[in-house]
Amino acid sequence: MSILETKSYDFSIRVVKCSQYLQEEKREFILSKQLLRSGTAIGALVAEGKYAPSKADFVNKLYVSLKEANETKYWIRLLRDCNYLSNKLSDSLLDDIEHLIKILSSSTKTARENLENES
């Protein structure tokens, strides 16, 4: 398993647990579902990309995963600023998502360059 696969899967687990906390403890259902959807999509898209039928599809999966990561960052910040998440929890989640964004950005850039060089 690659570092990206591992990190995105581990982050998905954190997002699922965070969503459960928000629903059970904070009784927040709308934003937590948005977080759950985008936060788990990151790893799902990385997993899909692993078996993409073409290199172009692989690049696309990485790019969409990057977009989902950016959206997830938005939901975490919003949940923090609306006082659903503590600063400690949100800072930890934001650190993780920033790290994923950096990996995805680098991976996407490299994959695109490789695809362009083959053309």
Side-chain angles (χ1 to χ4, degrees):
M1 207 182 254
S2 73
I3 187 85
L4 179 56
E5 290 173 289
T6 301
K7 295 269 186 199
S8 60
Y9 184 82
D10 290 347
F11 185 75
S12 291
I13 291 170
R14 290 197 70 198
V15 165
V16 168
K17 290 179 179 180
C18 182
S19 181
Q20 288 171 332
Y21 161 77
L22 289 165
Q23 291 177 19
E24 293 169 8
E25 301 295 323
K26 297 291 187 170
R27 308 303 293 165
E28 197 302 307
F29 300 97
I30 306 301
L31 300 176
S32 61
K33 286 183 181 176
Q34 291 292 102
L35 174 66
L36 182 65
R37 187 201 53 75
S38 66
T40 56
I42 301 164
L45 286 158
V46 168
E48 268 187 77
K50 187 174 182 177
Y51 294 102
S54 68
K55 290 180 182 180
D57 190 44
F58 172 75
V59 171
N60 185 57
K61 297 292 185 212
L62 284 183
Y63 181 70
V64 175
S65 183
L66 177 59
K67 288 173 48 175
E68 294 290 344
N70 228 10
E71 181 182 337
T72 300
K73 181 179 171 182
Y74 172 84
W75 295 122
I76 294 167
R77 290 176 58 232
L78 185 62
L79 284 159
R80 177 199 62 204
D81 294 344
C82 291
N83 298 315
Y84 285 110
L85 293 179
S86 68
N87 285 336
K88 182 179 179 181
L89 178 55
S90 62
D91 287 349
S92 176
L93 289 167
L94 287 169
D95 284 346
D96 283 357
I97 198 64
E98 284 293 345
H99 188 68
L100 271 173
I101 288 170
K102 286 179 184 175
I103 295 170
L104 283 164
S105 294
S106 176
S107 297
T108 302
K109 182 181 177 198
T110 300
R112 278 189 179 164
E113 288 171 355
N114 289 343
L115 185 61
E116 288 171 4
N117 289 337
E118 289 180 5
S119 300

